[in-house]
Amino acid sequence: MRPVPRGGRTLGAALLCTVAALGTAIAAPAPSGAAATADDVVSSHWIGLGYNQNPQPPNGTTWNTADWNQMVSRTEYMKPGLVRVMFNVPWFWSGTDAGGTYDFKSAAYLNAEKVIKHYVDEGVPVVSGLFGIDDLTYTAANTATIQATLVKHLQADGAAPTYWVGVNEPNVSTGPKSYSYADWTTATTNLASAFATAGVDTARTTVSGADTAEAGISAYGGDLGRQTAPRCNSGCDSGLVWKLASLNTFTAQVYADSATDSAVAFQTSSDGTTWRNLTVAPPTPVAMVTGKNGGGMWRYTYTASGITGAKYLRLSVASSTLEHTVGSMSLANNSTSLDDSLDDMTQTQTALDTGTWNGNGSWWLRSAKSGLVGASEAHFYDQELYGAAPEYAEPVLSQAVSQLRSAAPGMPVLLGETGMKAAQYPDGSKDYRFALDTTQPLRMADLAVQEARSGVDGAAAWCLDGYASTTFCGMWGRGSEDPGKVSAHSTALRPWFYTWSLLTRYLPTGSTIHAPAQPTGVRVLAAQLPGGGWTFALVNRTSVAQTVRLSEPTGSITLNKYVYTDGATPSTDANGFPMKVGTLTANFTSGHALTVGADSVAVFTTAS
């Protein structure tokens, strides 16, 4: 069975929340792929795993034969289900809002078109858009026209991206972007109009997005909104409210930017109109290391019992310049316990329990409901390197995906960027040394399994082989350092290529994803492949071997086994590609045990 999702909520203006509808199942599309009888099927339309690719060559101004053949050889082994290839404006346009010129003959444009066309010819869906808009104005109609002209040109040349996301991470609150959701709405409305005017075939390229950076979904319980609470205390109508008749106990986790926060207060009410303050013992704050703003937050766990005469519980925050995020709320009466989690669909206005959705805090959710996009796409980076428990990603994403499914049934849910959130230096640059180490294969396999179990349809890792010289994020690098030794600027395959390539290759498009029960510290995934075969992936984050008994409707099958262990050299061929270490013939229909070593990833698959 799936784990119960846990998450967080940001306190936003005029948002009230009730748990009255928590027991209602959230609708999701039926899974694709072969029919399965097990009760652990994930409701997704699996597209697959892939990567972000810099389309510019690692050497020179145009792709030479050696570089191209190496890229093609490695990526064809991987068999990605999804690839993201973004454009920079100077590659094809020079000018401002007042006017300019297109250049579809430039080397940079032709490089990008060549890469996209390669994947289009292979039948791989491509996410594309602009990394930035340079001197253009985001909301200007001409900016949309320039994008539409680019997409129309790509389509005419047989290089049509499947998804067009406009501008990369428009919600980032620092730097030159810092756009509002209203800006995104205007720009995306303009884009749809420009597509129509330019004659873009939207059956081949659909406007998607909002391509947001969901940095707030982090180790501190999850948070799609990440906004500061306004003044909200006695008599306030913009707190968070939970409803449970005869409630007598609660536990709430709240995160704040201060170790001396005193702004949080609680009130109870029997009718939702008259409120009385509730005395709650001040908790001891616990320091949390997260990726938010490169710094930390503090967790406050509030508990109270013996509450009487209460049907509603309100959490409010006095006027404060600090961010406050609700990670979770659990409340109970003598017979019922309720757990409330991340930005769920029970947020309401002042009626307290109407169930009316008001997701103003999340661009991801709002864009899914906007009617402006054909696919819901955002970025999610795991905060494990900042001290987050590795297993937090699945419950947070599961809750987010369930909301998106309800908001836009049938719409693909994609992670256009995913990976580990890198440490950031004061000058804004990032430390990518983690991409070279031997633990990264475990981290990325762990994240991939959790994302697939959460119900996303596809996820593209950041990144294939790097971008700027300081951004050596890939599964191999760019540069002239020893090609036989892993380093920041070597073309040698890095350790995490081993696990990510196995999962891209052996979890193909159209697979039916299963989420079996998992032991603590172990992530488990099963997938029925489109042709009827199976893949099992086990990621063991503990220091001892783990055995997992799996029951899936496989019949008798023969599986190839691949193993990666942190610190050990895996079995590879002359190209550095994974080689199987054995085979296993088994029948999982009535249950069969698989074992994975300490700090290891094991992949079992019927595919070759």
PDB file of all heavy atoms in Angstrom, residues 561-577:
ATOM      1  N   LYS A 561      20.249  -9.231 -13.651  1.00  0.00           N
ATOM      2  CA  LYS A 561      20.521  -8.495 -12.418  1.00  0.00           C
ATOM      3  C   LYS A 561      21.699  -7.543 -12.613  1.00  0.00           C
ATOM      4  O   LYS A 561      22.753  -7.930 -13.131  1.00  0.00           O
ATOM      5  CB  LYS A 561      20.834  -9.470 -11.281  1.00  0.00           C
ATOM      6  CG  LYS A 561      21.156  -8.797  -9.946  1.00  0.00           C
ATOM      7  CD  LYS A 561      21.480  -9.836  -8.867  1.00  0.00           C
ATOM      8  CE  LYS A 561      21.808  -9.170  -7.542  1.00  0.00           C
ATOM      9  NZ  LYS A 561      22.123 -10.171  -6.479  1.00  0.00           N
ATOM     10  N   TYR A 562      21.507  -6.276 -12.176  1.00  0.00           N
ATOM     11  CA  TYR A 562      22.560  -5.264 -12.197  1.00  0.00           C
ATOM     12  C   TYR A 562      22.715  -4.724 -10.777  1.00  0.00           C
ATOM     13  O   TYR A 562      21.713  -4.529 -10.068  1.00  0.00           O
ATOM     14  CB  TYR A 562      22.193  -4.110 -13.123  1.00  0.00           C
ATOM     15  CG  TYR A 562      22.009  -4.507 -14.567  1.00  0.00           C
ATOM     16  CD1 TYR A 562      20.803  -5.042 -15.015  1.00  0.00           C
ATOM     17  CD2 TYR A 562      23.038  -4.352 -15.488  1.00  0.00           C
ATOM     18  CE1 TYR A 562      20.623  -5.415 -16.340  1.00  0.00           C
ATOM     19  CE2 TYR A 562      22.878  -4.715 -16.822  1.00  0.00           C
ATOM     20  CZ  TYR A 562      21.670  -5.244 -17.233  1.00  0.00           C
ATOM     21  OH  TYR A 562      21.500  -5.612 -18.553  1.00  0.00           O
ATOM     22  N   VAL A 563      23.950  -4.456 -10.367  1.00  0.00           N
ATOM     23  CA  VAL A 563      24.195  -4.004  -8.992  1.00  0.00           C
ATOM     24  C   VAL A 563      25.195  -2.854  -8.985  1.00  0.00           C
ATOM     25  O   VAL A 563      26.223  -2.904  -9.676  1.00  0.00           O
ATOM     26  CB  VAL A 563      24.728  -5.156  -8.111  1.00  0.00           C
ATOM     27  CG1 VAL A 563      25.111  -4.631  -6.724  1.00  0.00           C
ATOM     28  CG2 VAL A 563      23.693  -6.268  -7.983  1.00  0.00           C
ATOM     29  N   TYR A 564      24.855  -1.822  -8.199  1.00  0.00           N
ATOM     30  CA  TYR A 564      25.817  -0.763  -7.899  1.00  0.00           C
ATOM     31  C   TYR A 564      25.931  -0.662  -6.380  1.00  0.00           C
ATOM     32  O   TYR A 564      24.915  -0.561  -5.685  1.00  0.00           O
ATOM     33  CB  TYR A 564      25.388   0.598  -8.455  1.00  0.00           C
ATOM     34  CG  TYR A 564      26.358   1.678  -8.049  1.00  0.00           C
ATOM     35  CD1 TYR A 564      27.485   1.932  -8.810  1.00  0.00           C
ATOM     36  CD2 TYR A 564      26.190   2.382  -6.861  1.00  0.00           C
ATOM     37  CE1 TYR A 564      28.417   2.886  -8.420  1.00  0.00           C
ATOM     38  CE2 TYR A 564      27.117   3.336  -6.459  1.00  0.00           C
ATOM     39  CZ  TYR A 564      28.231   3.582  -7.239  1.00  0.00           C
ATOM     40  OH  TYR A 564      29.163   4.499  -6.830  1.00  0.00           O
ATOM     41  N   THR A 565      27.153  -0.662  -5.859  1.00  0.00           N
ATOM     42  CA  THR A 565      27.407  -0.511  -4.430  1.00  0.00           C
ATOM     43  C   THR A 565      28.344   0.675  -4.219  1.00  0.00           C
ATOM     44  O   THR A 565      29.377   0.798  -4.904  1.00  0.00           O
ATOM     45  CB  THR A 565      28.052  -1.781  -3.840  1.00  0.00           C
ATOM     46  OG1 THR A 565      27.156  -2.885  -4.025  1.00  0.00           O
ATOM     47  CG2 THR A 565      28.334  -1.606  -2.353  1.00  0.00           C
ATOM     48  N   ASP A 566      27.969   1.555  -3.299  1.00  0.00           N
ATOM     49  CA  ASP A 566      28.760   2.751  -3.033  1.00  0.00           C
ATOM     50  C   ASP A 566      30.200   2.360  -2.693  1.00  0.00           C
ATOM     51  O   ASP A 566      30.451   1.566  -1.789  1.00  0.00           O
ATOM     52  CB  ASP A 566      28.135   3.514  -1.859  1.00  0.00           C
ATOM     53  CG  ASP A 566      28.741   4.894  -1.681  1.00  0.00           C
ATOM     54  OD1 ASP A 566      29.656   5.265  -2.454  1.00  0.00           O
ATOM     55  OD2 ASP A 566      28.309   5.616  -0.756  1.00  0.00           O
ATOM     56  N   GLY A 567      31.147   2.916  -3.445  1.00  0.00           N
ATOM     57  CA  GLY A 567      32.554   2.672  -3.187  1.00  0.00           C
ATOM     58  C   GLY A 567      33.149   1.499  -3.934  1.00  0.00           C
ATOM     59  O   GLY A 567      34.376   1.332  -3.954  1.00  0.00           O
ATOM     60  N   ALA A 568      32.303   0.663  -4.554  1.00  0.00           N
ATOM     61  CA  ALA A 568      32.793  -0.484  -5.309  1.00  0.00           C
ATOM     62  C   ALA A 568      32.707  -0.190  -6.807  1.00  0.00           C
ATOM     63  O   ALA A 568      31.871   0.594  -7.251  1.00  0.00           O
ATOM     64  CB  ALA A 568      31.992  -1.729  -4.968  1.00  0.00           C
ATOM     65  N   THR A 569      33.555  -0.831  -7.576  1.00  0.00           N
ATOM     66  CA  THR A 569      33.543  -0.650  -9.021  1.00  0.00           C
ATOM     67  C   THR A 569      32.477  -1.560  -9.624  1.00  0.00           C
ATOM     68  O   THR A 569      32.556  -2.779  -9.487  1.00  0.00           O
ATOM     69  CB  THR A 569      34.904  -0.990  -9.629  1.00  0.00           C
ATOM     70  OG1 THR A 569      35.897  -0.141  -9.043  1.00  0.00           O
ATOM     71  CG2 THR A 569      34.886  -0.781 -11.134  1.00  0.00           C
ATOM     72  N   PRO A 570      31.480  -0.999 -10.298  1.00  0.00           N
ATOM     73  CA  PRO A 570      30.432  -1.846 -10.874  1.00  0.00           C
ATOM     74  C   PRO A 570      30.902  -2.551 -12.129  1.00  0.00           C
ATOM     75  O   PRO A 570      31.929  -2.175 -12.728  1.00  0.00           O
ATOM     76  CB  PRO A 570      29.318  -0.853 -11.189  1.00  0.00           C
ATOM     77  CG  PRO A 570      30.048   0.424 -11.464  1.00  0.00           C
ATOM     78  CD  PRO A 570      31.242   0.422 -10.552  1.00  0.00           C
ATOM     79  N   SER A 571      30.147  -3.533 -12.551  1.00  0.00           N
ATOM     80  CA  SER A 571      30.485  -4.290 -13.754  1.00  0.00           C
ATOM     81  C   SER A 571      30.040  -3.511 -14.984  1.00  0.00           C
ATOM     82  O   SER A 571      28.855  -3.187 -15.138  1.00  0.00           O
ATOM     83  CB  SER A 571      29.797  -5.657 -13.718  1.00  0.00           C
ATOM     84  OG  SER A 571      30.096  -6.401 -14.869  1.00  0.00           O
ATOM     85  N   THR A 572      30.999  -3.193 -15.870  1.00  0.00           N
ATOM     86  CA  THR A 572      30.680  -2.418 -17.073  1.00  0.00           C
ATOM     87  C   THR A 572      31.389  -3.035 -18.275  1.00  0.00           C
ATOM     88  O   THR A 572      32.354  -3.781 -18.145  1.00  0.00           O
ATOM     89  CB  THR A 572      31.136  -0.957 -16.934  1.00  0.00           C
ATOM     90  OG1 THR A 572      32.554  -0.914 -16.703  1.00  0.00           O
ATOM     91  CG2 THR A 572      30.412  -0.272 -15.786  1.00  0.00           C
ATOM     92  N   ASP A 573      30.904  -2.672 -19.469  1.00  0.00           N
ATOM     93  CA  ASP A 573      31.556  -3.130 -20.695  1.00  0.00           C
ATOM     94  C   ASP A 573      32.634  -2.129 -21.120  1.00  0.00           C
ATOM     95  O   ASP A 573      32.962  -1.182 -20.384  1.00  0.00           O
ATOM     96  CB  ASP A 573      30.520  -3.378 -21.793  1.00  0.00           C
ATOM     97  CG  ASP A 573      29.804  -2.110 -22.253  1.00  0.00           C
ATOM     98  OD1 ASP A 573      30.272  -0.987 -21.942  1.00  0.00           O
ATOM     99  OD2 ASP A 573      28.769  -2.234 -22.932  1.00  0.00           O
ATOM    100  N   ALA A 574      33.166  -2.315 -22.324  1.00  0.00           N
ATOM    101  CA  ALA A 574      34.264  -1.466 -22.798  1.00  0.00           C
ATOM    102  C   ALA A 574      33.856  -0.003 -22.943  1.00  0.00           C
ATOM    103  O   ALA A 574      34.706   0.891 -22.903  1.00  0.00           O
ATOM    104  CB  ALA A 574      34.784  -1.999 -24.133  1.00  0.00           C
ATOM    105  N   ASN A 575      32.551   0.253 -23.109  1.00  0.00           N
ATOM    106  CA  ASN A 575      32.054   1.625 -23.226  1.00  0.00           C
ATOM    107  C   ASN A 575      31.770   2.270 -21.877  1.00  0.00           C
ATOM    108  O   ASN A 575      31.438   3.451 -21.815  1.00  0.00           O
ATOM    109  CB  ASN A 575      30.770   1.652 -24.057  1.00  0.00           C
ATOM    110  CG  ASN A 575      31.000   1.224 -25.486  1.00  0.00           C
ATOM    111  OD1 ASN A 575      31.888   1.740 -26.157  1.00  0.00           O
ATOM    112  ND2 ASN A 575      30.198   0.274 -25.962  1.00  0.00           N
ATOM    113  N   GLY A 576      31.840   1.481 -20.814  1.00  0.00           N
ATOM    114  CA  GLY A 576      31.469   1.978 -19.495  1.00  0.00           C
ATOM    115  C   GLY A 576      29.998   1.775 -19.180  1.00  0.00           C
ATOM    116  O   GLY A 576      29.509   2.276 -18.167  1.00  0.00           O
ATOM    117  N   PHE A 577      29.285   1.039 -20.046  1.00  0.00           N
ATOM    118  CA  PHE A 577      27.861   0.815 -19.834  1.00  0.00           C
ATOM    119  C   PHE A 577      27.658  -0.362 -18.878  1.00  0.00           C
ATOM    120  O   PHE A 577      28.468  -1.302 -18.848  1.00  0.00           O
ATOM    121  CB  PHE A 577      27.150   0.523 -21.154  1.00  0.00           C
ATOM    122  CG  PHE A 577      27.282   1.615 -22.185  1.00  0.00           C
ATOM    123  CD1 PHE A 577      27.079   1.338 -23.540  1.00  0.00           C
ATOM    124  CD2 PHE A 577      27.615   2.918 -21.822  1.00  0.00           C
ATOM    125  CE1 PHE A 577      27.200   2.338 -24.490  1.00  0.00           C
ATOM    126  CE2 PHE A 577      27.741   3.926 -22.769  1.00  0.00           C
ATOM    127  CZ  PHE A 577      27.543   3.633 -24.112  1.00  0.00           C
TER     128      PHE A 577
END
